[in-house]
Amino acid sequence: MLRVLLPSLLALGAGISIVIQQGLNTRLRTDLGSAAWAGFASYAVGLACMVLLILALRDPLPAAGVAARVPWWGWSGGLFGALFIGLAIVLVPQLGAATFIALLVAGQMLASVAFDHFGWMGLAQRPIDGPRLIGVALLVAGVILIRRGAN
């Protein structure tokens, strides 16, 4: 049970941290008067935290040969992170935190079901089945209900 409970609680905490991050970034945007500088500050603090983690774990620098074997698209995660942060900083004030996060989770779920189904980016294939389709439909219905409540 602990093998499932602890990772589930950590994932729940990660979800909570995203909402906190968006609230902080939105406030920083207002205080700085710039979405771009708020995003930059968010990434700079994140970079500093990752450097501290590397130092704490005493993680060695990957060898050049290992880094060279990474496919070109394997380095683009930061691009999508920046896209997420930038859009969140701009959209949370317009949509509200609940609607933004609901749409974010719906987008993540739709993409993750497709990635699982086709085994994209090296993921194990997990076919779309009835229960998964029902789950996606319920999630989309939840987004609609949350969005309706925002009007």
Side-chain angles (χ1 to χ4, degrees):
M1 174 144 186
L2 188 60
R3 285 182 45 196
V4 174
L5 183 61
L6 183 59
S8 296
L9 289 173
L10 290 172
L12 186 64
I16 292 168
S17 74
I18 289 173
V19 177
I20 294 168
Q21 177 191 34
Q22 297 323 308
L24 293 170
N25 286 345
T26 297
R27 175 59 194 249
L28 190 58
R29 173 194 179 191
T30 300
D31 291 345
L32 296 177
S34 170
W37 282 109
F40 178 83
S42 179
Y43 264 87
V45 171
L47 177 63
C49 289
M50 292 310 299
V51 168
L52 290 174
L53 180 63
I54 288 167
L55 294 173
L57 296 176
R58 299 174 191 249
D59 235 353
L61 186 66
V66 171
R69 287 192 299 271
V70 175
W72 67 267
W73 49 265
W75 298 99
S76 64
L79 168 69
F80 291 99
L83 180 66
F84 163 69
I85 294 295
L87 287 173
I89 289 169
V90 171
L91 296 175
V92 167
Q94 292 176 20
L95 299 173
T99 299
F100 176 79
I101 295 297
L103 290 166
L104 174 76
V105 170
Q108 288 173 326
M109 185 56 58
L110 292 168
S112 64
V113 168
F115 274 59
D116 278 354
H117 181 75
F118 294 106
W120 289 334
M121 295 194 180
L123 294 176
Q125 276 191 284
R126 292 178 177 87
I128 296 175
D129 56 9
R132 281 182 165 218
L133 286 175
I134 292 169
V136 169
L138 289 171
L139 185 61
V140 170
V143 169
I144 292 167
L145 292 172
I146 289 170
R147 182 66 185 137
R148 261 188 80 157
N151 291 335

